[in-house]
mmCIF file of all heavy atoms in Angstrom:
data_model
loop_
_atom_site.group_PDB
_atom_site.id
_atom_site.type_symbol
_atom_site.label_atom_id
_atom_site.label_comp_id
_atom_site.label_asym_id
_atom_site.label_seq_id
_atom_site.Cartn_x
_atom_site.Cartn_y
_atom_site.Cartn_z
ATOM 1 N N LYS B 2 -15.562 -20.209 43.237
ATOM 2 C CA LYS B 2 -16.740 -19.693 43.914
ATOM 3 C C LYS B 2 -16.564 -19.839 45.418
ATOM 4 O O LYS B 2 -16.258 -20.905 45.918
ATOM 5 C CB LYS B 2 -17.980 -20.471 43.480
ATOM 6 C CG LYS B 2 -18.455 -20.105 42.103
ATOM 7 C CD LYS B 2 -19.700 -20.878 41.747
ATOM 8 C CE LYS B 2 -20.047 -20.636 40.293
ATOM 9 N NZ LYS B 2 -21.113 -21.527 39.841
ATOM 10 N N ARG B 3 -16.717 -18.741 46.100
ATOM 11 C CA ARG B 3 -16.676 -18.839 47.551
ATOM 12 C C ARG B 3 -17.691 -17.868 48.125
ATOM 13 O O ARG B 3 -17.765 -16.721 47.723
ATOM 14 C CB ARG B 3 -15.276 -18.508 48.054
ATOM 15 C CG ARG B 3 -15.157 -18.750 49.531
ATOM 16 C CD ARG B 3 -13.728 -18.674 49.983
ATOM 17 N NE ARG B 3 -12.954 -19.756 49.442
ATOM 18 C CZ ARG B 3 -11.642 -19.686 49.267
ATOM 19 N NH1 ARG B 3 -10.991 -18.617 49.543
ATOM 20 N NH2 ARG B 3 -11.006 -20.718 48.783
ATOM 21 N N GLN B 4 -18.491 -18.348 49.055
ATOM 22 C CA GLN B 4 -19.538 -17.515 49.637
ATOM 23 C C GLN B 4 -18.949 -16.620 50.728
ATOM 24 O O GLN B 4 -17.979 -16.979 51.386
ATOM 25 C CB GLN B 4 -20.618 -18.407 50.268
ATOM 26 C CG GLN B 4 -21.233 -19.407 49.310
ATOM 27 C CD GLN B 4 -21.901 -18.744 48.136
ATOM 28 O OE1 GLN B 4 -22.663 -17.807 48.295
ATOM 29 N NE2 GLN B 4 -21.604 -19.207 46.950
ATOM 30 N N VAL B 5 -19.589 -15.441 50.909
ATOM 31 C CA VAL B 5 -19.177 -14.535 51.978
ATOM 32 C C VAL B 5 -19.266 -15.253 53.329
ATOM 33 O O VAL B 5 -18.442 -15.084 54.214
ATOM 34 C CB VAL B 5 -20.069 -13.272 51.984
ATOM 35 C CG1 VAL B 5 -19.774 -12.406 53.198
ATOM 36 C CG2 VAL B 5 -19.839 -12.473 50.719
ATOM 37 N N ASP B 6 -20.280 -16.144 53.463
ATOM 38 C CA ASP B 6 -20.477 -16.872 54.715
ATOM 39 C C ASP B 6 -19.327 -17.820 55.036
ATOM 40 O O ASP B 6 -19.197 -18.278 56.152
ATOM 41 C CB ASP B 6 -21.774 -17.674 54.658
ATOM 42 C CG ASP B 6 -22.969 -16.760 54.776
ATOM 43 O OD1 ASP B 6 -22.790 -15.608 55.213
ATOM 44 O OD2 ASP B 6 -24.053 -17.190 54.419
ATOM 45 N N ASP B 7 -18.524 -18.152 54.024
ATOM 46 C CA ASP B 7 -17.369 -19.014 54.262
ATOM 47 C C ASP B 7 -16.291 -18.308 55.070
ATOM 48 O O ASP B 7 -15.374 -18.945 55.558
ATOM 49 C CB ASP B 7 -16.727 -19.433 52.930
ATOM 50 C CG ASP B 7 -17.479 -20.583 52.298
ATOM 51 O OD1 ASP B 7 -18.345 -21.157 52.981
ATOM 52 O OD2 ASP B 7 -17.203 -20.890 51.132
ATOM 53 N N LYS B 8 -16.386 -16.988 55.152
ATOM 54 C CA LYS B 8 -15.294 -16.254 55.797
ATOM 55 C C LYS B 8 -15.270 -16.522 57.306
ATOM 56 O O LYS B 8 -16.306 -16.506 57.958
ATOM 57 C CB LYS B 8 -15.407 -14.763 55.497
ATOM 58 C CG LYS B 8 -15.045 -14.487 54.047
ATOM 59 C CD LYS B 8 -14.909 -13.049 53.715
ATOM 60 C CE LYS B 8 -14.472 -12.930 52.251
ATOM 61 N NZ LYS B 8 -14.563 -11.569 51.747
ATOM 62 N N THR B 9 -14.073 -16.738 57.795
ATOM 63 C CA THR B 9 -13.917 -17.047 59.213
ATOM 64 C C THR B 9 -13.903 -15.756 60.031
ATOM 65 O O THR B 9 -13.825 -14.651 59.475
ATOM 66 C CB THR B 9 -12.588 -17.787 59.463
ATOM 67 O OG1 THR B 9 -11.519 -16.889 59.144
ATOM 68 C CG2 THR B 9 -12.471 -19.038 58.609
ATOM 69 N N ILE B 10 -13.927 -15.900 61.348
ATOM 70 C CA ILE B 10 -13.826 -14.738 62.241
ATOM 71 C C ILE B 10 -12.525 -13.987 61.941
ATOM 72 O O ILE B 10 -12.504 -12.760 61.876
ATOM 73 C CB ILE B 10 -13.867 -15.202 63.715
ATOM 74 C CG1 ILE B 10 -15.242 -15.795 64.035
ATOM 75 C CG2 ILE B 10 -13.542 -14.046 64.662
ATOM 76 C CD1 ILE B 10 -15.326 -16.501 65.392
ATOM 77 N N LEU B 11 -11.449 -14.746 61.740
ATOM 78 C CA LEU B 11 -10.148 -14.121 61.439
ATOM 79 C C LEU B 11 -10.197 -13.362 60.112
ATOM 80 O O LEU B 11 -9.672 -12.255 59.997
ATOM 81 C CB LEU B 11 -9.046 -15.175 61.360
ATOM 82 C CG LEU B 11 -8.489 -15.731 62.664
ATOM 83 C CD1 LEU B 11 -7.563 -16.902 62.380
ATOM 84 C CD2 LEU B 11 -7.738 -14.667 63.453
ATOM 85 N N ASP B 12 -10.842 -13.964 59.103
ATOM 86 C CA ASP B 12 -10.950 -13.327 57.778
ATOM 87 C C ASP B 12 -11.659 -11.976 57.882
ATOM 88 O O ASP B 12 -11.191 -10.963 57.347
ATOM 89 C CB ASP B 12 -11.779 -14.195 56.817
ATOM 90 C CG ASP B 12 -11.092 -15.488 56.435
ATOM 91 O OD1 ASP B 12 -9.865 -15.576 56.566
ATOM 92 O OD2 ASP B 12 -11.800 -16.410 55.991
ATOM 93 N N LYS B 13 -12.805 -11.992 58.561
ATOM 94 C CA LYS B 13 -13.618 -10.758 58.655
ATOM 95 C C LYS B 13 -12.875 -9.679 59.441
ATOM 96 O O LYS B 13 -12.879 -8.513 59.076
ATOM 97 C CB LYS B 13 -14.967 -11.073 59.320
ATOM 98 C CG LYS B 13 -15.885 -11.922 58.448
ATOM 99 C CD LYS B 13 -17.127 -12.327 59.237
ATOM 100 C CE LYS B 13 -17.909 -13.395 58.487
ATOM 101 N NZ LYS B 13 -18.921 -14.038 59.332
ATOM 102 N N PHE B 14 -12.234 -10.103 60.524
ATOM 103 C CA PHE B 14 -11.449 -9.177 61.348
ATOM 104 C C PHE B 14 -10.331 -8.559 60.497
ATOM 105 O O PHE B 14 -10.138 -7.332 60.493
ATOM 106 C CB PHE B 14 -10.866 -9.948 62.533
ATOM 107 C CG PHE B 14 -9.893 -9.194 63.385
ATOM 108 C CD1 PHE B 14 -10.333 -8.290 64.338
ATOM 109 C CD2 PHE B 14 -8.523 -9.399 63.249
ATOM 110 C CE1 PHE B 14 -9.421 -7.596 65.139
ATOM 111 C CE2 PHE B 14 -7.611 -8.720 64.039
ATOM 112 C CZ PHE B 14 -8.062 -7.813 64.986
ATOM 113 N N ALA B 15 -9.622 -9.397 59.749
ATOM 114 C CA ALA B 15 -8.494 -8.918 58.936
ATOM 115 C C ALA B 15 -8.969 -7.959 57.851
ATOM 116 O O ALA B 15 -8.377 -6.894 57.646
ATOM 117 C CB ALA B 15 -7.758 -10.099 58.313
ATOM 118 N N GLU B 16 -10.035 -8.293 57.160
ATOM 119 C CA GLU B 16 -10.513 -7.429 56.071
ATOM 120 C C GLU B 16 -10.986 -6.075 56.596
ATOM 121 O O GLU B 16 -10.732 -5.039 55.991
ATOM 122 C CB GLU B 16 -11.635 -8.123 55.294
ATOM 123 C CG GLU B 16 -11.111 -9.195 54.358
ATOM 124 C CD GLU B 16 -12.134 -9.698 53.351
ATOM 125 O OE1 GLU B 16 -13.341 -9.768 53.701
ATOM 126 O OE2 GLU B 16 -11.747 -10.038 52.225
ATOM 127 N N ARG B 17 -11.668 -6.095 57.733
ATOM 128 C CA ARG B 17 -12.176 -4.840 58.303
ATOM 129 C C ARG B 17 -11.006 -3.940 58.733
ATOM 130 O O ARG B 17 -10.983 -2.748 58.453
ATOM 131 C CB ARG B 17 -13.077 -5.155 59.511
ATOM 132 C CG ARG B 17 -14.253 -4.205 59.672
ATOM 133 C CD ARG B 17 -15.295 -4.776 60.603
ATOM 134 N NE ARG B 17 -14.940 -4.717 61.997
ATOM 135 C CZ ARG B 17 -14.957 -3.613 62.736
ATOM 136 N NH1 ARG B 17 -15.297 -2.463 62.202
ATOM 137 N NH2 ARG B 17 -14.638 -3.631 64.017
ATOM 138 N N PHE B 18 -10.031 -4.542 59.391
ATOM 139 C CA PHE B 18 -8.878 -3.785 59.874
ATOM 140 C C PHE B 18 -8.055 -3.232 58.699
ATOM 141 O O PHE B 18 -7.704 -2.047 58.666
ATOM 142 C CB PHE B 18 -8.008 -4.685 60.759
ATOM 143 C CG PHE B 18 -6.992 -3.940 61.585
ATOM 144 C CD1 PHE B 18 -7.306 -3.491 62.854
ATOM 145 C CD2 PHE B 18 -5.721 -3.691 61.079
ATOM 146 C CE1 PHE B 18 -6.368 -2.802 63.617
ATOM 147 C CE2 PHE B 18 -4.779 -2.997 61.831
ATOM 148 C CZ PHE B 18 -5.105 -2.554 63.096
ATOM 149 N N CYS B 19 -7.792 -4.097 57.730
ATOM 150 C CA CYS B 19 -6.966 -3.687 56.584
ATOM 151 C C CYS B 19 -7.654 -2.574 55.780
ATOM 152 O O CYS B 19 -6.984 -1.685 55.246
ATOM 153 C CB CYS B 19 -6.684 -4.880 55.669
ATOM 154 S SG CYS B 19 -5.603 -6.106 56.427
ATOM 155 N N GLY B 20 -8.972 -2.626 55.705
ATOM 156 C CA GLY B 20 -9.716 -1.594 54.977
ATOM 157 C C GLY B 20 -9.482 -0.212 55.552
ATOM 158 O O GLY B 20 -9.465 0.786 54.812
ATOM 159 N N ILE B 21 -9.286 -0.143 56.855
ATOM 160 C CA ILE B 21 -9.019 1.153 57.504
ATOM 161 C C ILE B 21 -7.556 1.555 57.313
ATOM 162 O O ILE B 21 -7.244 2.677 56.941
ATOM 163 C CB ILE B 21 -9.381 1.085 59.007
ATOM 164 C CG1 ILE B 21 -10.875 0.825 59.165
ATOM 165 C CG2 ILE B 21 -8.977 2.379 59.726
ATOM 166 C CD1 ILE B 21 -11.306 0.390 60.551
ATOM 167 N N ILE B 22 -6.653 0.614 57.559
ATOM 168 C CA ILE B 22 -5.213 0.915 57.435
ATOM 169 C C ILE B 22 -4.864 1.421 56.035
ATOM 170 O O ILE B 22 -4.098 2.373 55.874
ATOM 171 C CB ILE B 22 -4.365 -0.354 57.748
ATOM 172 C CG1 ILE B 22 -4.601 -0.833 59.166
ATOM 173 C CG2 ILE B 22 -2.879 -0.082 57.494
ATOM 174 C CD1 ILE B 22 -4.077 0.042 60.259
ATOM 175 N N GLU B 23 -5.453 0.800 55.023
ATOM 176 C CA GLU B 23 -5.136 1.131 53.636
ATOM 177 C C GLU B 23 -5.341 2.607 53.319
ATOM 178 O O GLU B 23 -4.693 3.164 52.435
ATOM 179 C CB GLU B 23 -5.990 0.247 52.706
ATOM 180 C CG GLU B 23 -5.792 0.463 51.217
ATOM 181 C CD GLU B 23 -4.405 0.045 50.729
ATOM 182 O OE1 GLU B 23 -3.622 -0.529 51.493
ATOM 183 O OE2 GLU B 23 -4.102 0.322 49.546
ATOM 184 N N LYS B 24 -6.226 3.274 54.053
ATOM 185 C CA LYS B 24 -6.489 4.696 53.799
ATOM 186 C C LYS B 24 -5.318 5.585 54.224
ATOM 187 O O LYS B 24 -5.205 6.717 53.798
ATOM 188 C CB LYS B 24 -7.744 5.133 54.578
ATOM 189 C CG LYS B 24 -9.029 4.517 54.071
ATOM 190 C CD LYS B 24 -10.243 5.200 54.686
ATOM 191 C CE LYS B 24 -10.667 4.505 55.949
ATOM 192 N NZ LYS B 24 -11.818 5.158 56.605
ATOM 193 N N TYR B 25 -4.451 5.068 55.092
ATOM 194 C CA TYR B 25 -3.402 5.905 55.675
ATOM 195 C C TYR B 25 -1.978 5.404 55.409
ATOM 196 O O TYR B 25 -1.028 6.192 55.485
ATOM 197 C CB TYR B 25 -3.596 6.009 57.198
ATOM 198 C CG TYR B 25 -4.960 6.522 57.564
ATOM 199 C CD1 TYR B 25 -6.007 5.635 57.825
ATOM 200 C CD2 TYR B 25 -5.227 7.888 57.601
ATOM 201 C CE1 TYR B 25 -7.273 6.098 58.136
ATOM 202 C CE2 TYR B 25 -6.495 8.350 57.900
ATOM 203 C CZ TYR B 25 -7.511 7.456 58.161
ATOM 204 O OH TYR B 25 -8.773 7.916 58.457
ATOM 205 N N ALA B 26 -1.833 4.117 55.155
ATOM 206 C CA ALA B 26 -0.472 3.570 55.023
ATOM 207 C C ALA B 26 -0.473 2.322 54.151
ATOM 208 O O ALA B 26 -1.467 1.611 54.068
ATOM 209 C CB ALA B 26 0.071 3.193 56.401
ATOM 210 N N LYS B 27 0.676 2.097 53.534
ATOM 211 C CA LYS B 27 0.855 0.854 52.786
ATOM 212 C C LYS B 27 1.102 -0.249 53.820
ATOM 213 O O LYS B 27 1.945 -0.090 54.707
ATOM 214 C CB LYS B 27 2.069 1.009 51.875
ATOM 215 C CG LYS B 27 2.039 0.132 50.676
ATOM 216 C CD LYS B 27 3.129 0.570 49.696
ATOM 217 C CE LYS B 27 2.954 -0.152 48.380
ATOM 218 N NZ LYS B 27 3.991 0.210 47.427
ATOM 219 N N TYR B 28 0.386 -1.342 53.711
ATOM 220 C CA TYR B 28 0.509 -2.418 54.701
ATOM 221 C C TYR B 28 0.654 -3.757 53.988
ATOM 222 O O TYR B 28 0.365 -3.883 52.794
ATOM 223 C CB TYR B 28 -0.745 -2.468 55.599
ATOM 224 C CG TYR B 28 -1.920 -3.104 54.883
ATOM 225 C CD1 TYR B 28 -2.120 -4.491 54.923
ATOM 226 C CD2 TYR B 28 -2.781 -2.356 54.090
ATOM 227 C CE1 TYR B 28 -3.168 -5.099 54.220
ATOM 228 C CE2 TYR B 28 -3.816 -2.949 53.385
ATOM 229 C CZ TYR B 28 -4.006 -4.322 53.456
ATOM 230 O OH TYR B 28 -5.018 -4.924 52.750
ATOM 231 N N MET B 29 1.028 -4.745 54.754
ATOM 232 C CA MET B 29 0.927 -6.129 54.251
ATOM 233 C C MET B 29 0.755 -7.054 55.450
ATOM 234 O O MET B 29 1.257 -6.783 56.547
ATOM 235 C CB MET B 29 2.166 -6.536 53.458
ATOM 236 C CG MET B 29 3.397 -6.548 54.300
ATOM 237 S SD MET B 29 4.833 -7.003 53.368
ATOM 238 C CE MET B 29 6.061 -7.021 54.675
ATOM 239 N N VAL B 30 0.017 -8.120 55.244
ATOM 240 C CA VAL B 30 -0.139 -9.153 56.264
ATOM 241 C C VAL B 30 0.912 -10.222 55.967
ATOM 242 O O VAL B 30 1.118 -10.586 54.800
ATOM 243 C CB VAL B 30 -1.564 -9.749 56.214
ATOM 244 C CG1 VAL B 30 -1.657 -11.018 57.038
ATOM 245 C CG2 VAL B 30 -2.573 -8.701 56.705
ATOM 246 N N CYS B 31 1.598 -10.689 57.005
ATOM 247 C CA CYS B 31 2.656 -11.660 56.774
ATOM 248 C C CYS B 31 2.622 -12.773 57.819
ATOM 249 O O CYS B 31 1.792 -12.752 58.728
ATOM 250 C CB CYS B 31 4.026 -10.970 56.787
ATOM 251 S SG CYS B 31 4.333 -10.013 58.265
ATOM 252 N N SER B 32 3.515 -13.716 57.658
ATOM 253 C CA SER B 32 3.718 -14.822 58.604
ATOM 254 C C SER B 32 2.535 -15.788 58.698
ATOM 255 O O SER B 32 1.966 -16.170 57.695
ATOM 256 C CB SER B 32 4.104 -14.262 59.967
ATOM 257 O OG SER B 32 4.799 -15.241 60.688
ATOM 258 N N GLY B 33 2.122 -16.156 59.916
ATOM 259 C CA GLY B 33 1.188 -17.271 60.096
ATOM 260 C C GLY B 33 -0.127 -17.162 59.346
ATOM 261 O O GLY B 33 -0.625 -18.157 58.810
ATOM 262 N N PHE B 34 -0.690 -15.965 59.301
ATOM 263 C CA PHE B 34 -2.004 -15.836 58.672
ATOM 264 C C PHE B 34 -1.928 -16.086 57.155
ATOM 265 O O PHE B 34 -2.937 -16.433 56.548
ATOM 266 C CB PHE B 34 -2.630 -14.468 58.979
ATOM 267 C CG PHE B 34 -4.074 -14.382 58.539
ATOM 268 C CD1 PHE B 34 -5.040 -15.192 59.117
ATOM 269 C CD2 PHE B 34 -4.458 -13.512 57.528
ATOM 270 C CE1 PHE B 34 -6.367 -15.141 58.709
ATOM 271 C CE2 PHE B 34 -5.783 -13.445 57.114
ATOM 272 C CZ PHE B 34 -6.747 -14.265 57.705
ATOM 273 N N VAL B 35 -0.763 -15.892 56.576
ATOM 274 C CA VAL B 35 -0.617 -16.198 55.142
ATOM 275 C C VAL B 35 -0.889 -17.693 54.927
ATOM 276 O O VAL B 35 -1.645 -18.071 54.029
ATOM 277 C CB VAL B 35 0.797 -15.835 54.625
ATOM 278 C CG1 VAL B 35 0.919 -16.143 53.138
ATOM 279 C CG2 VAL B 35 1.108 -14.373 54.891
ATOM 280 N N ALA B 36 -0.321 -18.514 55.788
ATOM 281 C CA ALA B 36 -0.543 -19.965 55.667
ATOM 282 C C ALA B 36 -1.983 -20.324 56.037
ATOM 283 O O ALA B 36 -2.625 -21.124 55.350
ATOM 284 C CB ALA B 36 0.446 -20.715 56.558
ATOM 285 N N ILE B 37 -2.494 -19.718 57.108
ATOM 286 C CA ILE B 37 -3.860 -20.035 57.552
ATOM 287 C C ILE B 37 -4.883 -19.632 56.484
ATOM 288 O O ILE B 37 -5.836 -20.366 56.218
ATOM 289 C CB ILE B 37 -4.152 -19.351 58.909
ATOM 290 C CG1 ILE B 37 -3.310 -20.019 60.000
ATOM 291 C CG2 ILE B 37 -5.633 -19.412 59.256
ATOM 292 C CD1 ILE B 37 -3.291 -19.279 61.317
ATOM 293 N N ALA B 38 -4.665 -18.483 55.863
ATOM 294 C CA ALA B 38 -5.585 -18.029 54.814
ATOM 295 C C ALA B 38 -5.535 -18.937 53.584
ATOM 296 O O ALA B 38 -6.415 -18.896 52.730
ATOM 297 C CB ALA B 38 -5.261 -16.587 54.412
ATOM 298 N N HIS B 39 -4.476 -19.755 53.526
ATOM 299 C CA HIS B 39 -4.372 -20.745 52.448
ATOM 300 C C HIS B 39 -4.746 -22.140 52.938
ATOM 301 O O HIS B 39 -4.352 -23.147 52.347
ATOM 302 C CB HIS B 39 -2.952 -20.779 51.867
ATOM 303 C CG HIS B 39 -2.631 -19.616 50.986
ATOM 304 N ND1 HIS B 39 -2.098 -18.450 51.467
ATOM 305 C CD2 HIS B 39 -2.801 -19.424 49.654
ATOM 306 C CE1 HIS B 39 -1.928 -17.598 50.458
ATOM 307 N NE2 HIS B 39 -2.347 -18.159 49.351
ATOM 308 N N GLY B 40 -5.479 -22.192 54.048
ATOM 309 C CA GLY B 40 -6.029 -23.472 54.475
ATOM 310 C C GLY B 40 -5.219 -24.260 55.468
ATOM 311 O O GLY B 40 -5.576 -25.390 55.798
ATOM 312 N N ARG B 41 -4.122 -23.704 55.973
ATOM 313 C CA ARG B 41 -3.332 -24.437 56.968
ATOM 314 C C ARG B 41 -4.191 -24.663 58.216
ATOM 315 O O ARG B 41 -4.808 -23.724 58.725
ATOM 316 C CB ARG B 41 -2.116 -23.595 57.272
ATOM 317 C CG ARG B 41 -1.114 -24.117 58.141
ATOM 318 C CD ARG B 41 -0.199 -25.144 57.884
ATOM 319 N NE ARG B 41 0.743 -25.003 59.018
ATOM 320 C CZ ARG B 41 0.790 -25.814 60.037
ATOM 321 N NH1 ARG B 41 0.041 -26.878 60.097
ATOM 322 N NH2 ARG B 41 1.630 -25.593 61.033
ATOM 323 N N THR B 42 -4.207 -25.915 58.683
ATOM 324 C CA THR B 42 -5.077 -26.231 59.826
ATOM 325 C C THR B 42 -4.343 -26.031 61.144
ATOM 326 O O THR B 42 -3.869 -26.975 61.764
ATOM 327 C CB THR B 42 -5.562 -27.693 59.766
ATOM 328 O OG1 THR B 42 -4.435 -28.515 59.499
ATOM 329 C CG2 THR B 42 -6.613 -27.888 58.703
ATOM 330 N N ARG B 43 -4.252 -24.777 61.526
ATOM 331 C CA ARG B 43 -3.701 -24.498 62.852
ATOM 332 C C ARG B 43 -4.302 -23.201 63.389
ATOM 333 O O ARG B 43 -4.833 -22.396 62.619
ATOM 334 C CB ARG B 43 -2.182 -24.403 62.815
ATOM 335 C CG ARG B 43 -1.616 -23.139 62.179
ATOM 336 C CD ARG B 43 -0.164 -23.000 62.614
ATOM 337 N NE ARG B 43 0.561 -21.918 61.979
ATOM 338 C CZ ARG B 43 0.613 -20.685 62.482
ATOM 339 N NH1 ARG B 43 -0.072 -20.349 63.554
ATOM 340 N NH2 ARG B 43 1.349 -19.763 61.867
ATOM 341 N N GLY B 44 -4.232 -23.045 64.669
ATOM 342 C CA GLY B 44 -4.839 -21.867 65.275
ATOM 343 C C GLY B 44 -3.863 -20.723 65.410
ATOM 344 O O GLY B 44 -2.654 -20.899 65.297
ATOM 345 N N THR B 45 -4.407 -19.541 65.616
ATOM 346 C CA THR B 45 -3.601 -18.377 65.973
ATOM 347 C C THR B 45 -4.528 -17.391 66.640
ATOM 348 O O THR B 45 -5.739 -17.424 66.419
ATOM 349 C CB THR B 45 -2.935 -17.727 64.743
ATOM 350 O OG1 THR B 45 -2.007 -16.730 65.181
ATOM 351 C CG2 THR B 45 -3.954 -17.073 63.827
ATOM 352 N N GLU B 46 -3.974 -16.563 67.488
ATOM 353 C CA GLU B 46 -4.845 -15.528 68.053
ATOM 354 C C GLU B 46 -4.413 -14.137 67.597
ATOM 355 O O GLU B 46 -4.988 -13.144 67.989
ATOM 356 C CB GLU B 46 -4.923 -15.623 69.573
ATOM 357 C CG GLU B 46 -3.617 -15.531 70.299
ATOM 358 C CD GLU B 46 -3.816 -15.656 71.812
ATOM 359 O OE1 GLU B 46 -4.832 -16.213 72.235
ATOM 360 O OE2 GLU B 46 -2.947 -15.180 72.545
ATOM 361 N N ASP B 47 -3.383 -14.097 66.772
ATOM 362 C CA ASP B 47 -3.047 -12.780 66.227
ATOM 363 C C ASP B 47 -2.628 -12.863 64.759
ATOM 364 O O ASP B 47 -2.255 -13.919 64.254
ATOM 365 C CB ASP B 47 -1.958 -12.082 67.051
ATOM 366 C CG ASP B 47 -0.712 -12.922 67.199
ATOM 367 O OD1 ASP B 47 -0.478 -13.806 66.374
ATOM 368 O OD2 ASP B 47 0.041 -12.686 68.160
#
Side-chain angles (χ1 to χ4, degrees):
Chain B
K2 285 181 188 171
R3 186 169 293 155
Q4 304 300 312
V5 173
D6 286 343
D7 279 350
K8 288 189 177 169
T9 65
I10 294 170
L11 282 172
D12 292 339
K13 291 173 191 167
F14 173 80
E16 284 193 326
R17 215 164 76 75
F18 194 90
C19 292
I21 297 165
I22 299 291
E23 180 67 7
K24 292 192 269 178
Y25 304 93
K27 205 168 190 181
Y28 76 88
M29 64 181 184
V30 167
C31 54
S32 203
F34 189 64
V35 181
I37 291 169
H39 285 89
R41 185 71 168 106
T42 47
R43 73 162 174 90
T45 189
E46 58 181 23
D47 55 23

